[in-house]
Amino acid sequence: FNLTSLTPATFILAGIPGMEKSHIWISIPFCFMYLAALLGNGVVLFVIKTERSLHQPMYLFLSMLAIADLTLSTTTVPKMLALFWFSAREISFGACLTQMFFLHFSFSAESVILLAMAFDRFVAICYPLWYAAVLTPSTVVKTGLVALLRSFCIIFPCIFLLKRLPFCGHNVILHTYCEHMGIARLACADISINILYGLAVPFAAIVVDVVLIAVSYVLILLALFRLPSRTARYKAFNTCGSHICVILLFYVPAFFTVLTHRFGREIPHHVHILLANLYVLFPPLLNPVVYGVRTQQIKKKIVKVFICPK
């Protein structure tokens, strides 16, 4: 028989199971967090674009991070708010796959960008004389293309892994947005390949990024300890402080969400969903705040552009 006939026309997003009566109240902080994320990342992008003094690798990587954050939140939050406010639970099969793709794609791209930012700090602190020669504008552009290409190659196969599956009338996704395993679990077929690929390939790529970032910062710390002046050590480490905060904001909630989802069977399902929702909101919300507060150059330029334009 034709398996394509078993592909559902639409999926139904259940929202947060067990908390349907609280959807409106939950949506209020989610909406404010999303609007703040849009404003914060928009300001960062505007300031970096308009100020020529910020056209340096560190800030260009930061602008890439802001774009990835906007993609991550915009892929999921508008549909989530429509579900909470207007009970718009239906999502077409194609739209669900598209949302799933951009959700995982932006996550993978952001991981590569954070690795590039760690390499930027490594070269700046350990090999400052080589910085201009290593991190050229073409290198920054190539890094952005690598982030896009790697993320595409990792996530695009998930679409075919899902399209091959038959769905026998099960179309209710117990979530506020579409993600790979949430869709695969509705299939009436063996999904062992989806489980294996969904865990092994993306997880391995992210772990490689984390290991390389950790190695970069170990080498940075060793270089800092060799500096003779305490003031020089503090100044050099302060340039890494914002990046370390952003790394923790990105990876800690991500790994916590994955681990609780896989092994925290005693944790209520609605807690899993809330954590997953906060994950797509917290990094985009806090990243511009961290860089705006801790990075003096960006803080000064924001004041110059928006408060004292003259």
Side-chain angles (χ1 to χ4, degrees):
F1 55 90
N2 186 6
L3 289 182
T4 57
S5 63
L6 296 178
T7 299
T10 59
F11 284 115
I12 305 297
L13 296 171
I16 305 176
M19 300 186 69
E20 289 82 1
K21 294 182 180 179
S22 303
H23 277 178
I24 292 293
W25 297 107
I26 294 172
S27 70
I28 295 173
F30 281 10
C31 180
F32 280 113
M33 291 166 70
Y34 176 59
L35 293 176
L38 291 179
L39 177 63
N41 287 286
V43 167
V44 168
L45 287 171
F46 178 78
V47 170
I48 292 175
K49 183 180 184 299
T50 54
E51 289 295 327
R52 289 190 173 275
S53 61
L54 297 181
H55 293 181
Q56 303 172 27
M58 174 182 174
Y59 303 108
L60 295 177
F61 288 138
L62 178 57
S63 64
M64 294 181 193
L65 184 70
I67 293 172
D69 280 336
L70 289 174
T71 305
L72 179 66
S73 57
T74 303
T75 298
T76 55
V77 178
K79 179 60 180 176
M80 185 195 310
L81 294 177
L83 187 157
F84 289 159
W85 290 343
F86 311 114
S87 296
R89 301 176 183 274
E90 289 192 357
I91 183 170
S92 68
F93 183 72
C96 194
L97 292 185
T98 302
Q99 187 184 57
M100 179 275 301
F101 172 79
F102 281 103
L103 171 70
H104 298 308
F105 175 86
S106 55
F107 176 85
S108 176
E110 189 159 341
S111 183
V112 178
I113 294 166
L114 289 175
L115 174 59
M117 295 173 80
F119 180 71
D120 171 82
R121 293 299 86 204
F122 166 73
V123 176
I125 292 174
C126 298
Y127 301 98
L129 298 179
W130 295 2
Y131 186 82
V134 173
L135 286 159
T136 61
S138 64
T139 302
V140 175
V141 172
K142 289 175 184 177
T143 302
L145 293 176
V146 167
L148 296 176
L149 183 61
R150 193 197 77 163
S151 303
F152 181 84
C153 292
I154 289 175
I155 306 304
F156 193 66
C158 292
I159 294 178
F160 294 99
L161 290 175
L162 291 172
K163 286 180 76 80
R164 72 183 181 86
L165 295 173
F167 296 86
C168 310
H170 304 289
N171 68 338
V172 178
I173 299 176
L174 300 177
H175 212 302
T176 55
Y177 53 78
C178 299
E179 48 93 21
H180 178 226
M181 289 311 302
I183 303 172
R185 288 195 182 96
L186 299 179
C188 50
D190 181 22
I191 61 169
S192 56
I193 295 178
N194 294 74
I195 294 173
L196 181 62
Y197 188 90
L199 279 175
V201 178
F203 192 74
I206 300 302
V207 168
V208 168
D209 293 343
V210 172
V211 169
L212 292 176
I213 289 172
V215 170
S216 298
Y217 272 99
V218 168
L219 296 174
I220 287 172
L221 287 175
L222 292 175
L224 291 179
F225 287 134
R226 289 196 294 267
L227 292 176
S229 169
R230 179 179 296 180
T231 303
R233 285 198 299 269
Y234 174 78
K235 184 178 179 181
F237 185 78
N238 194 49
T239 63
C240 302
S242 300
H243 186 234
I244 292 173
C245 292
V246 168
I247 288 172
L248 294 176
L249 285 172
F250 180 75
Y251 286 113
V252 171
F255 281 114
F256 182 76
T257 301
V258 170
L259 292 175
T260 55
H261 188 69
R262 302 296 177 187
F263 305 109
R265 301 187 183 277
E266 296 181 359
I267 300 176
H269 188 65
H270 66 271
V271 176
H272 288 293
I273 306 302
L274 281 172
L275 288 174
N277 290 335
L278 291 174
Y279 169 71
V280 300
L281 282 166
F282 268 169
L285 171 68
L286 296 178
N287 286 350
V289 175
V290 169
Y291 271 99
V293 171
R294 293 189 58 89
T295 307
Q296 291 296 323
Q297 293 89 333
I298 292 181
K299 187 191 299 185
K300 290 178 182 177
K301 297 303 179 183
I302 290 175
V303 171
K304 175 185 174 183
V305 173
F306 293 100
I307 299 177
C308 303
K310 294 181 182 181

